[in-house]
Amino acid sequence: MTSIDADNIECRQHQLICIDGQGYIDRVVDETDAEFETVRQEAVAGDKLISLNPDEYILPGFIDLHIHAPQWPNAGVALDRPLNEWLDVYTFPMEAKYRDVEFAKRVYDDLVNELIANGTTTALYFGTIHNEANLELAKACVRHNQRGFIGKVAMDNPEETPENYRDASAKVAVEQTEEFIHQLEELNQTAMVKQTPVITPRFVPSCTPELLKGLGELAAKYDLPIQSHCSENDWENGFALEHYHKRDSEVLDQYGLLTDKSVMAHGTMLNQSDLTRFKQRGVAVAHCPISNVFFGDAVLPVSKLLQQHNKVGMGTDISGGYSPSLYQNIRQSVISSRMLHQGVDPELSPEERGTDNQQITAKNGFYLATVGGAEGLHLKTGQIKAGYLADLQVVKAPLTKFEDESLDQTFEKIIYQATKHDIKQVFVRGQVAKG
């Protein structure tokens, strides 16, 4: 089961997915192909054939475009609080604990294992300001065969960050970001699944102009991915307008932080000028539907972004999002889009109640979690086709069949019902990560 485009999937039975020695899909052989039986027998003879049960299906591995790794212990905590209070009282104190490397090891090993169990083969992570802890996150990814994109968080603005958890200065933050780049280069010399450093200004409020400028220059110097938050909610959106007299996206663009390797999270307050700028720069949006319910102040109009050919993928936003499952986030993305389209105020007439933003489908959400994420990170993965990375999940159909059903129906049942217990095996670059 794999996306063809944002609206359509291909579901086939009885195929052979042939993986080469580099972890790429060499070819996909259908049972109607003349060579099918020959290829199958060769795999059997070489003890290389992995067979599925009749109720198991292969899907591409999921790509999570936005995770705050150090917030994993807080998943589901204080989601009823305003964002600035949630950060100051719960989140920053938790992230400050990662000066303790042993604590980081325990948390990150558990987190990466949990994400793999949920079918996430690639993850874009915010770390903390502590490079030793960030390196432990990278090592956890290597141990569990997960492809990690990892950022040393940069935040130096004393007005918006606590004294015990911020970079000493813009200069120090840039220097330590560059140091982490080199640390990952060294780790990658012996790692099967490579880890990628990411330039990571937390968001505009937490960074001084000097830091934003320095990080933009560093991203250009090393040609690296960039991640941050953009127009996340009323408070963050308003901060840029008040302090810079510019849109959030304009501030980031001014400092070279909007490129075709940038992923900006949430975006519930993006306007058309922002979306046009994103499209011109090639910026991807990480849609975080569960988190947006709690902190986004609005619903991202995903159908509009897809229609305009903006790049958009899916993120869990742990711990603003309580669930590490992209299945759960796909479901919430569909629910939120329906509420945006239909409206929620019964005091209004049906004609006035909703919006013109069309609801999305399970197939659209699946596309975001696979192809959309791959495009955002410039990875040749997210689809089951020749030449693509063999990042795969084997999923057991979660419900009993009482009569014949189409593969489309089976797909929808998987998307809406599957849990990590239904994910029987996970492969990253052809290597077993689960099962």
Side-chain angles (χ1 to χ4, degrees):
M1 296 178 171
T2 187
S3 287
I4 300 172
D5 53 38
D7 297 308
N8 299 284
I9 60 167
E10 180 181 54
C11 298
R12 303 292 294 274
Q13 287 184 309
H14 309 304
Q15 290 186 318
L16 297 170
I17 299 173
C18 304
I19 301 171
D20 67 20
Q22 301 303 310
Y24 284 81
I25 298 172
D26 179 62
R27 53 184 169 158
V28 180
V29 184
D30 193 79
E31 66 175 341
T32 59
D33 295 340
E35 59 183 344
F36 179 87
E37 191 56 33
T38 301
V39 173
R40 193 183 75 83
Q41 289 296 341
E42 288 176 354
V44 171
D47 195 25
K48 296 179 179 179
L49 182 67
I50 299 175
S51 298
L52 272 58
N53 294 321
D55 60 349
E56 293 177 340
Y57 300 86
I58 298 180
L59 281 65
F62 285 152
I63 300 164
D64 192 330
L65 280 189
H66 189 57
I67 308 173
H68 288 273
Q71 295 176 21
W72 176 229
N74 273 354
V77 172
L79 297 179
D80 57 334
R81 306 295 186 181
L83 178 61
N84 54 343
E85 180 185 336
W86 178 82
L87 287 170
D88 292 338
V89 177
Y90 299 93
T91 302
F92 290 152
M94 172 57 69
E95 294 192 15
K97 293 181 180 180
Y98 288 77
R99 64 173 67 90
D100 179 349
V101 178
E102 291 304 315
F103 180 71
K105 285 181 182 179
R106 289 191 292 117
V107 173
Y108 290 153
D109 190 74
D110 187 78
L111 170 63
V112 177
N113 183 60
E114 182 70 18
L115 290 167
I116 286 287
N118 278 281
T120 299
T121 51
T122 300
L124 177 56
Y125 290 110
F126 275 58
T128 63
I129 66 173
H130 317 99
N131 274 353
E132 282 189 86
N134 297 329
L135 194 57
E136 290 303 326
L137 175 56
K139 290 177 180 177
C141 290
V142 171
R143 280 196 302 276
H144 292 285
N145 280 340
Q146 186 185 65
R147 184 180 300 103
F149 286 69
I150 302 166
K152 174 254 182 285
V153 169
M155 42 191 284
D156 71 325
N157 183 1
E159 295 181 4
E160 296 294 337
T161 56
E163 185 175 358
N164 71 331
Y165 185 59
R166 65 169 172 258
D167 292 300
S169 67
K171 182 175 183 291
V172 169
V174 172
E175 288 174 350
Q176 291 185 350
T177 298
E178 190 163 23
E179 177 186 272
F180 182 62
I181 293 168
H182 297 312
Q183 287 175 327
L184 280 197
E185 287 174 350
E186 185 175 348
L187 179 67
N188 282 336
Q189 291 177 10
T190 56
M192 173 68 73
V193 179
K194 307 302 182 187
Q195 308 301 307
T196 302
V198 183
I199 303 301
T200 308
R202 189 178 198 107
F203 54 7
V204 168
S206 68
C207 300
T208 62
E210 181 185 358
L211 178 53
L212 295 173
K213 179 176 182 292
L215 292 175
E217 292 170 350
L218 205 58
K221 177 180 177 180
Y222 290 96
D223 190 27
L224 286 175
I226 300 164
Q227 63 179 339
S228 192
H229 305 77
C230 187
S231 295
E232 177 177 0
N233 63 6
D234 288 320
W235 171 70
E236 184 196 317
N237 197 54
F239 184 94
L241 293 170
E242 179 182 350
H243 290 79
Y244 290 87
H245 307 292
K246 293 181 179 181
R247 299 282 303 169
D248 214 5
S249 68
E250 291 179 281
V251 177
L252 292 164
D253 198 20
Q254 172 184 340
Y255 293 110
L257 294 166
L258 295 187
T259 74
D260 69 348
K261 290 188 174 183
S262 295
V263 177
M264 295 292 134
H266 303 292
T268 57
M269 297 294 163
L270 295 172
N271 65 17
Q272 186 55 54
S273 69
D274 298 321
L275 292 175
T276 299
R277 181 175 290 105
F278 275 20
K279 185 175 179 181
Q280 290 171 342
R281 300 287 186 267
V283 175
V285 175
H287 178 38
C288 306
I290 292 178
S291 175
N292 288 349
V293 169
F294 296 104
F295 297 125
D297 294 333
V299 176
L300 182 74
V302 173
S303 60
K304 178 181 178 180
L305 272 66
L306 291 174
Q307 289 163 7
Q308 295 184 171
H309 302 291
N310 281 97
K311 286 159 54 176
V312 55
M314 189 79 71
T316 56
D317 190 31
I318 292 167
S319 68
Y322 58 78
S323 174
S325 167
L326 279 177
Y327 284 99
Q328 287 277 64
N329 279 274
I330 291 171
R331 295 161 198 160
Q332 183 60 53
S333 71
V334 176
I335 293 168
S336 294
S337 76
R338 290 183 72 91
M339 296 176 79
L340 177 64
H341 174 65
Q342 295 173 343
V344 297
D345 185 355
E347 298 296 324
L348 299 176
S349 68
E351 294 77 17
E352 301 173 297
R353 191 180 302 144
T355 72
D356 292 333
N357 295 293
Q358 296 301 306
Q359 61 201 39
I360 65 171
T361 66
K363 292 178 181 178
N364 298 145
F366 178 65
Y367 174 87
L368 299 189
T370 54
V371 179
E375 290 180 346
L377 295 176
H378 294 262
L379 291 173
K380 203 163 186 184
T381 188
Q383 291 176 284
I384 301 174
K385 58 195 296 187
Y388 280 62
L389 286 160
D391 300 339
L392 308 166
Q393 52 178 317
V394 176
V395 185
K396 179 183 180 297
L399 299 178
T400 302
K401 291 182 184 178
F402 296 101
E403 57 185 2
D404 289 341
E405 62 184 38
S406 68
L407 286 175
D408 262 21
Q409 290 173 319
T410 301
F411 166 80
E412 290 184 334
K413 288 184 177 182
I414 288 173
I415 294 300
Y416 283 117
Q417 300 287 345
T419 71
K420 70 176 181 181
H421 303 294
D422 300 306
I423 301 171
K424 300 305 179 182
Q425 291 180 293
V426 175
F427 299 85
V428 180
R429 200 159 186 163
Q431 301 296 311
V432 176
K434 174 186 177 178

